[in-house]
């Protein structure tokens, strides 16, 4: 239950009015005393939602209210988008929070179906959006470890490697209603960059030829079709669905994954690829952030190491969970059939190889859509010099196209790191 009986977009004034009608939130905030110390600040800098930080400075307590709008905020009411995404975000936060024991997911305090909003823990400073930290050239020594832990646990424990087919189908059905968000992804990742679309844009005129070449690359389109098919048809695990570097908040010691409103049961590689692909975008953007004080060379090396460490740590953690639970309820590979160590190793090698190649493909597709598509990334957009920005974007685009078409040729993450440096 919430304070309002029908949906309306909140503003900084009505947020307090809303909270007063929700005891679970008003009690946390200490409403009724020292209300003059309560502040509301709208901080949503993303593409979709309103996000408010609500604080009572007299009691030293804050939380976040996030409200889903019935359209894409950065475009307007002409591009409608379901408000139901708030429900799926709340469910994903609960499930991923339980799996990771709250280590890497902010705690959910409240969900209101009518108002399409959630209230959750405020990630206090010095937490910042990872993408902004990457632009600033900040190293995060635990990032690879934390993200590998988050992905390995959330993906393994929601897959058939851990669950029975009956249990798995029940959970798949629960998230099937998030179809509108999946369709949005299908459009912006697997369709629009490869056709003329009113929403596409790029650094023109410098990338005009590159955008046109993308629309005429038949081999690339064949690979994209395969990825779209996997995205649409394979309910492998509960995935975040939008795991880029603006969906992660960090300090040197903490890593928190936010904004799982695109969550559904899909291919594991879509999450892994999204994170790795955005790190690769960050790498290619670094030359555009060089100044007299920092040539960014050592930072580029750190990004490459983080890419390599993230996959290797994920691989080891995922296999360790598989080994630990191989005789459990999971029905992907029944222990009565896959009953000897040699066969188990063969199964794991094939599974992880396929997952690696899926991750490369999805990562490449996510990179392409952030250069030729509707929503770009601050890594590049913050480079003021258009010529310099376009040069960085072209290198990233050329690498992404090669990776997408030739991903099966790569046998390990070390080869990927080497290939990145060739562009």
């Amino acid at each position: 239950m919430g304070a309002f009986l029908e949906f309306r977009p909140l503003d900084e004034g009505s947020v307090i009015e809303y909270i007063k009608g929700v005891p679970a939130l008003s009690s946390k905030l200490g409403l009724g005393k020292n209300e003059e110390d309560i502040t509301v600040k709208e901080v949503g800098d993303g593409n979709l939602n309103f996000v408010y930080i609500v604080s009572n400075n007299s009691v030293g307590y804050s939380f976040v209210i996030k409200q889903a709008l019935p359209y894409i905020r950065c475009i307007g009411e002409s591009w409608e988008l379901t408000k139901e995404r708030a429900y799926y975000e709340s469910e994903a936060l609960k499930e991923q929070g339980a799996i990771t024991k709250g280590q890497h997911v902010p705690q959910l305090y409240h969900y209101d179906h009518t108002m399409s909003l959630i209230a959750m823990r405020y990630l206090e400073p010095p937490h910042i959006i990872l993408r902004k930290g990457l632009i600033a050239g900040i190293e995060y020594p635990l990032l690879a470890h934390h993200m590998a832990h988050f992905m390995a646990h959330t993906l393994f424990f929601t897959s058939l490697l851990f669950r029975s087919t009956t249990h798995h189908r029940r959970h798949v059905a629960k998230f099937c209603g998030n179809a509108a968000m999946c369709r949005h992804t299908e459009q912006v990742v697997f369709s629009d960059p490869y056709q003329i679309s009113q929403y596409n844009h790029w650094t023109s005129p410098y990338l005009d030829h590159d955008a046109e070449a993308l629309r005429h690359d038949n081999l690339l389109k064949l690979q994209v079709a395969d990825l779209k098919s996997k995205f649409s048809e394979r309910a492998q695990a509960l995935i975040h669905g939008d795991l880029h570097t603006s969906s992660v908040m960090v300090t040197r010691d903490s890593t928190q994954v936010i904004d799982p409103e695109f969550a559904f049961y899909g291919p594991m590689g879509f999450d892994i690829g999204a994170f790795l692909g955005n790190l690769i975008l960050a790498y290619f953007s670094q030359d555009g952030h060089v100044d007299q004080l920092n040539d960014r060379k050592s930072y580029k090396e750190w990004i490459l190491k983080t890419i390599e460490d993230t996959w290797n740590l994920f691989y080891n953690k995922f296999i360790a969970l598989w080994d630990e639970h191989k005789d459990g309820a999971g029905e992907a590979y029944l222990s009565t059939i896959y009953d000897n160590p040699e066969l188990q190793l063969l199964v794991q090698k094939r599974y992880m190889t396929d997952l690696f190649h899926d991750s490369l493909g999805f990562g490449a597709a996510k990179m392409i859509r952030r250069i030729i598509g509707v929503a770009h990334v601050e890594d590049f957009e913050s480079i003021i010099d258009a010529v310099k920005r376009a040069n960085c974007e072209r290198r990233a685009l050329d690498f992404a196209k090669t990776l997408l078409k030739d991903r099966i040729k790569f046998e390990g993450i070390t080869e990927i790191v080497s290939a990145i440096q060739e562009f």
Side-chain angles (χ1 to χ4, degrees):
M1 291 294 292
F4 300 154
L5 297 179
E6 60 182 24
F7 177 85
R8 63 161 161 150
L10 293 176
D11 56 32
E12 292 185 353
S14 58
V15 165
I16 296 298
E17 180 187 352
Y18 175 82
I19 291 171
K20 287 180 177 179
V22 184
L25 298 181
S26 59
S27 61
K28 285 181 179 293
L29 202 60
L31 281 177
K33 52 185 178 181
N34 300 319
E35 289 193 19
E36 66 276 6
D37 292 326
I38 294 175
T39 61
V40 179
K41 183 180 181 181
E42 209 282 310
V43 295
D45 60 355
N47 298 316
L48 304 180
N49 311 288
F50 283 138
V51 182
Y52 299 95
I53 298 174
V54 187
S55 305
N56 188 334
N57 298 322
S58 65
V59 298
Y61 192 84
S62 303
F63 57 76
V64 168
I65 295 253
K66 178 179 178 182
Q67 185 179 36
L69 301 172
Y71 53 84
I72 295 179
R73 180 180 178 182
C74 68
I75 293 177
E77 297 183 16
S78 63
W79 192 331
E80 296 181 357
L81 197 63
T82 175
K83 300 191 282 46
E84 293 298 312
R85 63 187 187 270
Y87 166 74
Y88 296 103
E89 178 166 7
S90 70
E91 290 299 307
L93 285 170
K94 286 190 287 188
E95 187 153 355
Q96 293 174 338
I99 290 171
T100 62
K101 297 179 171 58
Q103 291 184 61
H104 303 303
V105 179
Q107 183 180 357
L108 178 72
Y109 298 144
H110 173 70
Y111 165 68
D112 185 331
H113 181 267
T114 299
M115 290 293 289
S116 300
L117 67 74
I118 59 176
M120 57 189 164
R121 174 194 166 193
Y122 169 54
L123 298 171
E124 67 286 341
H127 282 98
I128 64 170
I129 295 294
L130 173 58
R131 191 183 304 282
K132 293 184 180 297
L134 295 169
I135 294 169
I138 302 171
E139 295 185 13
Y140 298 99
L142 297 178
L143 177 63
H145 174 79
H146 287 167
M147 288 304 298
H149 182 274
F150 172 83
M151 293 189 295
H153 282 73
T154 58
L155 297 177
F156 176 84
F157 284 113
T158 60
S159 76
L160 284 170
L161 295 173
F162 180 74
R163 290 174 171 170
S164 70
T165 54
T166 300
H167 190 195
H168 189 70
R169 286 193 179 97
R170 188 181 305 124
H171 283 267
V172 171
K174 180 179 180 180
F175 280 86
C176 273
N178 211 15
M181 298 301 282
C182 294
R183 186 164 181 80
H184 174 77
T185 298
E186 290 158 12
Q187 178 177 344
V188 301
V189 176
F190 303 113
S191 297
D192 278 357
Y194 308 96
Q195 63 185 354
I196 295 175
S197 168
Q198 62 176 313
Y199 300 112
N200 286 348
H201 65 102
W202 51 85
T203 303
S204 182
Y206 308 105
L207 295 185
D208 287 357
H209 174 75
D210 301 84
E212 183 179 5
L214 203 66
R215 297 193 298 269
H216 293 91
D217 192 327
N218 292 337
L219 293 178
L220 193 69
K221 289 181 179 180
L222 288 174
Q223 295 299 322
V224 170
D226 287 343
L227 291 171
K228 183 178 181 179
S229 177
K230 286 186 177 182
F231 178 85
S232 305
E233 298 167 357
R234 191 168 193 193
Q236 195 173 22
L238 177 62
I239 65 172
H240 178 283
D242 199 29
L243 194 54
H244 52 72
T245 51
S246 288
S247 293
V248 182
M249 295 192 70
V250 289
T251 69
R252 286 181 60 84
D253 304 313
S254 170
T255 304
Q256 301 288 319
V257 177
I258 61 173
D259 296 345
E261 60 200 318
F262 285 82
F264 79 110
Y265 274 75
M268 295 180 185
F270 193 75
D271 269 5
I272 302 165
F275 184 68
L276 295 180
N278 274 261
L279 288 180
I280 298 171
L281 289 177
Y283 172 88
F284 281 112
S285 77
Q286 292 304 308
D287 286 351
H289 299 296
V290 168
D291 57 36
Q292 292 180 342
L293 299 177
N294 190 342
D295 63 10
R296 296 288 179 125
K297 288 182 179 179
S298 64
Y299 193 65
K300 289 167 70 175
E301 292 175 1
W302 176 82
I303 294 176
L304 293 176
K305 184 177 187 302
T306 300
I307 292 168
E308 188 168 3
D309 287 349
T310 298
W311 171 259
N312 287 334
L313 288 166
F314 166 81
Y315 185 104
N316 292 335
K317 291 173 185 290
F318 194 90
I319 290 294
L321 290 171
W322 190 340
D323 288 342
E324 180 183 352
H325 297 280
K326 61 182 175 61
D327 296 320
E331 293 186 346
Y333 301 97
L334 296 174
S335 58
T336 53
I337 298 175
Y338 303 90
D339 56 356
N340 65 79
E342 182 181 358
L343 181 55
Q344 178 76 1
L345 287 174
L346 288 173
V347 164
Q348 289 179 340
K349 181 178 180 180
R350 179 175 180 177
Y351 190 100
M352 298 306 288
T353 298
D354 288 346
L355 179 54
F356 179 64
H357 291 145
D358 282 354
S359 300
L360 299 182
F362 286 123
K366 296 280 275 185
M367 290 175 65
I368 291 169
R369 83 91 154 191
R370 292 297 189 179
I371 300 168
I372 310 290
V374 61
H376 291 203
V377 290
E378 189 178 354
D379 310 66
F380 293 130
E381 295 294 286
S382 59
I383 301 172
I384 297 173
D385 185 320
V387 174
K388 188 179 294 185
R389 180 171 68 248
N391 287 336
C392 293
E393 289 175 321
R394 182 176 293 108
R395 290 168 57 218
L397 184 62
D398 288 346
F399 173 75
K401 291 192 296 183
T402 297
L403 184 62
L404 205 160
K405 288 188 280 191
D406 295 337
R407 64 189 184 279
I408 304 300
K409 298 178 182 178
F410 293 97
E411 297 184 1
I413 194 67
T414 302
E415 294 180 15
I416 299 299
V417 168
S418 296
I420 291 171
Q421 296 174 83
E422 294 175 1
F423 283 81

